[in-house]
Amino acid sequence: GRRGSPAASASMDRTEELRSVLKLFSEGKEVPLEAPAAPPPPTDFAAGALAIESRFSQTQRLIDRLEKLVDRRALHNDPAAEIDEVSQMFSTDVTEVGDQIKLLVAWVSRNTTKRSQRAGHCEQVVQSLRGRAAAHTMRFQETLKKRTEVLKNQNRRRKQFGAASSRSAMVQLNTPLFQFEAKQQAGGASAGPGSGP
């Protein structure tokens, strides 16, 4: 990397260089360096953002499940009840995520000063979470629209093939065999297949 760039110097390990400088100033005695401090515990904001992030994996699983249900091609095993259940669960999850995002916004307004770097960072995180929630909701709605189209196509095919099968049944009832049997039942068994009307 380049020596003058801040990014290159920020990523270089300069521990040995620091030790040699400390050795010079301490009259040749080696000065032990303290171990790096443990990272601070996450703030309430970070914990809340992580909780929301974990909820997105659950909503993603619900979207995936809905897509599989919509794509299932079953004539007699309609997944309508399962789709209703998944829709209800998704609606509950999205509502709860929205409520959690509102709590984050309230935390930011209480614990940061406007236009501070921290407030700006928190706002970016909130906007990202809102964007993910909106994207999940949009994908879920698109999948439900696909379900509506599948149902429309199924109904159209049922009407089309149902009407054709009832017409073919009528045609089959008007065959000579059925007319002969109907005449026999009406006029008695004396008429034979060769006798005409």
Side-chain angles (χ1 to χ4, degrees):
R2 291 183 231 159
R3 280 242 165 220
S5 79
S9 64
S11 65
M12 290 178 40
D13 182 13
R14 301 179 83 183
T15 307
E16 290 305 316
E17 186 179 345
L18 177 62
R19 282 190 179 154
S20 65
V21 170
L22 287 173
K23 194 174 191 179
L24 288 173
F25 285 101
S26 65
E27 300 174 4
K29 296 179 187 175
E30 193 166 324
V31 179
L33 296 175
E34 291 182 24
T43 63
D44 290 340
F45 178 83
L50 287 172
I52 293 170
E53 186 65 34
S54 70
R55 291 296 294 266
F56 285 132
S57 63
Q58 183 174 337
T59 58
Q60 182 61 49
R61 282 192 301 272
L62 290 172
I63 292 169
D64 294 342
R65 183 174 167 199
L66 178 67
E67 287 175 341
K68 287 178 184 174
L69 290 170
V70 167
D71 290 339
R72 186 187 326 166
R73 301 278 188 242
L75 187 59
H76 301 290
N77 188 12
D78 186 27
E82 287 179 81
I83 289 173
D84 289 342
E85 177 185 342
V86 170
S87 295
Q88 186 63 36
M89 290 167 50
F90 183 84
S91 177
T92 300
D93 282 356
V94 167
T95 300
E96 289 174 3
V97 164
D99 292 344
Q100 289 175 339
I101 290 173
K102 287 177 187 174
L103 289 173
L104 281 182
V105 170
W107 186 94
V108 170
S109 67
R110 280 191 319 270
N111 296 297
T112 62
T113 57
K114 289 192 185 276
R115 300 178 197 204
S116 69
Q117 183 178 5
R118 185 177 189 188
H121 169 74
C122 291
E123 184 58 34
Q124 287 178 344
V125 170
V126 167
Q127 290 304 321
S128 174
L129 293 172
R130 283 180 175 158
R132 286 204 55 199
H136 278 210
T137 300
M138 187 181 319
R139 186 167 166 211
F140 196 84
Q141 288 172 345
E142 288 171 357
T143 305
L144 288 176
K145 286 179 185 176
K146 183 179 176 184
R147 168 68 175 166
T148 302
E149 290 301 315
V150 167
L151 288 176
K152 284 180 184 178
N153 289 336
Q154 283 178 349
N155 286 335
R156 183 182 45 79
R157 283 193 301 268
R158 281 186 187 129
K159 287 179 182 177
Q160 179 183 5
F161 293 117
S165 65
S166 67
R167 277 188 301 230
S168 66
M170 293 294 283
V171 170
Q172 290 174 358
L173 291 176
N174 291 329
T175 61
L177 177 63
F178 286 113
Q179 288 177 354
F180 171 74
E181 286 181 11
K183 285 181 185 178
Q184 276 187 336
Q185 288 175 355
S190 63
S195 59

